[in-house]
Amino acid sequence: MFEEITKQIKEIKEIVVVTGAGVSQESGIPTFRGKDGFWKNYNPMKLATIEAFYENPKLVWEWYNERRENIFSAKPNQGHKAIVELEKYATVTILTQNIDGLHQKAGSSNVFELHGSIMKIKCTVCNFKSSQIEKFSQIPPLCKCGNMLRPDVVWFGESLPQDVWKNAIAKASQCDLMIIIGTSLVVSPANTLPIYAKQNSAKLIEINPEKTEMSSKMDLVLRKTGAEILPKLISIFKEN
Ligand code: NAD
């Protein structure tokens, strides 16, 4: 199958890269479902919800502050860099579930952040949004309107920003190749993106050391890490 895809590479014009926490694991950012993914003995799946936020906003803010510090000092790895290079050979759109901004830091030009950004905040009530994260004098910080500010990320159970999701579906529905990296594909609706691509007869490649819910639907599965295999995959484009 690898050879078959290699043969078709010349015809590939539109590539969609779907990424999850695993693509940043080699930059030192823990995944949610990996063995290294726990923080202070709390379950991230139970912290990243609006219910958790209202129950203990201080705890959730502390968790995001700690994650933000880790992310701020993280550098893109060979996987992120290889995806940037892919732009030399085709139109590349990245649909990422990550909130770490590492694709942009690496230099990718077309990134849709499906789950928002840890570098942004918004008000829980009014329309205030900002990318100015300062050292707040109190946690949780308050908006000028008097209500609590929160990270501008999509929590479990929340809807994705409509415009971002609409664009994501459109891109997934028109690509020739979808490369899916470092996602367990259990978070909805991002896990439906491969289905949209398949409807357009796109080839699907999964890069993940572990099996996922959708591995059986893939045309090619590479059981390697992003930093290991992406530079090799990109070299095939170079040779063609
Ligand atoms: P997940 O934690 O559910 O799954 C991570 C997947 O990555 C697993 O399938 C694992 O096998 C794979 N993986 C681990 N190391 C890898 C590597 N080096 N290379 C390739 N694959 C590797 O992550 P998810 O599917 O993205 O869903 C979790 C949610 O958590 C998302 O909404 C995401 O926004 C959020 N999250 C984001 C970050 C980040 O921004 N870096 C980090 C943790 C969680």
Side-chain angles (χ1 to χ4, degrees):
M1 186 52 79
F2 201 73
E3 274 171 23
E4 201 185 295
I5 290 180
T6 306
K7 272 188 228 146
Q8 294 166 3
I9 267 171
K10 272 197 193 111
E11 277 120 63
I12 289 171
K13 301 219 162 31
E14 295 271 344
I15 301 176
V16 165
V17 182
V18 175
T19 63
V23 79
S24 296
Q25 187 265 342
E26 285 157 296
S27 294
I29 303 172
T31 62
F32 270 6
R33 291 177 184 80
K35 50 186 178 310
D36 58 349
F38 283 85
W39 178 88
K40 278 194 185 175
N41 302 321
Y42 290 97
N43 181 349
M45 256 71 78
K46 292 197 176 139
L47 277 172
T49 65
I50 191 70
E51 291 81 12
F53 181 71
Y54 281 120
E55 202 174 303
N56 195 342
K58 189 166 180 289
L59 176 70
V60 173
W61 261 101
E62 277 175 3
W63 184 53
Y64 274 90
N65 285 344
E66 192 171 313
R67 290 182 71 197
R68 194 179 302 106
E69 267 176 44
N70 171 230
I71 283 171
F72 201 69
S73 57
K75 293 191 177 68
N77 62 52
Q78 293 307 318
H80 295 107
K81 289 179 193 168
I83 298 169
V84 179
E85 207 179 320
L86 201 51
E87 290 184 17
K88 290 184 191 158
Y89 311 103
T91 303
V92 179
T93 304
I94 300 172
L95 306 178
T96 188
Q97 295 166 81
N98 293 346
I99 56 173
D100 58 30
L102 283 185
H103 288 298
Q104 296 92 321
K105 223 177 188 178
S108 283
S109 39
N110 204 9
V111 185
F112 289 84
E113 292 178 312
L114 303 179
H115 294 168
S117 165
I118 198 165
M119 299 301 169
K120 295 180 183 162
I121 50 171
K122 65 179 181 183
C123 180
T124 44
V125 176
C126 77
N127 289 330
F128 175 78
K129 282 187 180 233
S130 173
S131 45
Q132 227 99 59
I133 304 266
E134 41 183 288
K135 283 255 175 264
F136 297 108
S137 52
Q138 72 173 85
I139 294 181
L142 296 183
C143 179
K144 282 192 183 122
C145 76
N147 292 293
M148 283 192 288
L149 290 169
R150 55 166 280 183
D152 191 1
V153 297
V154 177
W155 281 328
F156 293 111
E158 292 183 325
S159 302
L160 273 57
Q162 280 228 326
D163 53 333
V164 176
W165 182 239
K166 227 172 117 185
N167 275 316
I169 294 177
K171 292 290 178 188
S173 305
Q174 69 193 34
C175 70
D176 314 305
L177 172 66
M178 180 174 275
I179 308 175
I180 302 148
I181 312 155
T183 170
S184 51
L185 289 173
V186 296
V187 178
S188 174
N191 61 354
T192 62
L193 289 168
I195 299 165
Y196 288 101
K198 211 62 193 164
Q199 281 166 358
N200 190 40
S201 307
K203 293 285 174 211
L204 304 183
I205 300 180
E206 177 175 76
I207 297 175
N208 196 317
E210 308 279 334
K211 191 169 182 264
T212 70
E213 302 279 313
M214 293 188 71
S215 292
S216 61
K217 307 268 187 303
M218 302 292 153
D219 294 290
L220 177 67
V221 175
L222 300 167
R223 291 266 168 261
K224 301 273 182 202
T225 71
E228 267 172 351
I229 199 73
L230 276 161
K232 288 185 189 136
L233 190 67
I234 274 55
S235 66
I236 296 171
F237 281 84
K238 225 183 260 176
E239 286 157 15
N240 283 266

